[in-house]
Amino acid sequence: MATSSGGSRKLLWLLVVLVVIASSAAATALFMVMSGDGDDGKAMAQAPETIEHKAPIFVEIEPFTVNLADDDYGSRLLYAGISLKVADEQSQALLTEHMPEVRSRLLMLLSGKQAADLASQEDKRRLAEQVKAALEAPMVEPQPELAIENVLFTEFIVQ
């Protein structure tokens, strides 16, 4: 009986040592996974960059009515509302300060158009580019750079 008792003690100690080794290996693996060691380069490469949201700046021009150039159907009217998307507050301030001149330039540009020149989507895109060009001409000397990003038609009725 003494011999079997000694053999079972060795077996018990062997099992205890194996359990300790297995649990320490599991703890080490868990620590490596939780801490992210070894993946730092990949994790940094996969992390999306934070994009800073910048609120757009708009200058609204009150809607106005303009007589269009005569065509085959006689006199026609255009009722238009326009908003300008600008790049910075300096451009917004400049346009706001010179709003009577802005409206005058737009009225002069639009009064030379015929209703047929404003019918399609492409015609409106072309008109937006012409509006942008008309407003980028200097209003004062010297004028800081006027940065108009987009011309948006908020109302557009040809009658």
Side-chain angles (χ1 to χ4, degrees):
M1 211 173 202
T3 53
S4 71
S5 170
S8 80
R9 272 193 194 154
K10 288 182 184 178
L11 183 62
L12 180 63
W13 278 108
L14 182 63
L15 286 175
V16 169
V17 169
L18 286 176
V19 168
V20 169
I21 291 174
S23 59
S24 63
T28 303
L30 185 62
F31 175 76
M32 295 293 255
V33 169
M34 296 301 272
S35 68
D37 286 348
D39 281 343
D40 286 346
K42 291 179 184 177
M44 294 299 278
Q46 292 177 354
E49 292 183 23
T50 304
I51 298 173
E52 185 177 322
H53 174 70
K54 182 179 175 186
I57 302 171
F58 293 102
V59 176
E60 293 194 35
I61 301 171
E62 290 188 30
F64 52 88
T65 304
V66 62
N67 291 321
L68 296 174
D70 289 342
D71 58 8
D72 296 338
Y73 301 103
S75 295
R76 310 279 302 266
L77 296 174
L78 169 66
Y79 177 78
I82 298 175
S83 291
L84 304 172
K85 184 178 180 183
V86 295
D88 53 28
E89 293 171 357
Q90 181 179 1
S91 296
Q92 179 187 30
L94 184 67
L95 288 167
T96 304
E97 288 171 7
H98 295 279
M99 189 54 69
E101 187 172 354
V102 168
R103 290 179 61 86
S104 176
R105 288 183 184 189
L106 292 175
L107 290 170
M108 297 299 285
L109 173 69
L110 295 172
S111 65
K113 301 289 181 189
Q114 291 186 341
D117 297 337
L118 306 172
S120 72
Q121 293 280 342
E122 186 57 38
D123 293 337
K124 290 178 181 76
R125 282 190 201 100
R126 192 175 313 115
L127 179 62
E129 289 301 318
Q130 292 170 352
V131 166
K132 190 174 176 181
L135 295 178
E136 286 180 340
M139 294 183 211
V140 294
E141 292 295 333
Q143 175 178 307
E145 183 180 345
L146 183 61
I148 299 174
E149 292 179 347
N150 203 356
V151 176
L152 307 163
F153 295 108
T154 55
E155 301 176 50
F156 200 90
I157 301 171
V158 177
Q159 189 174 8

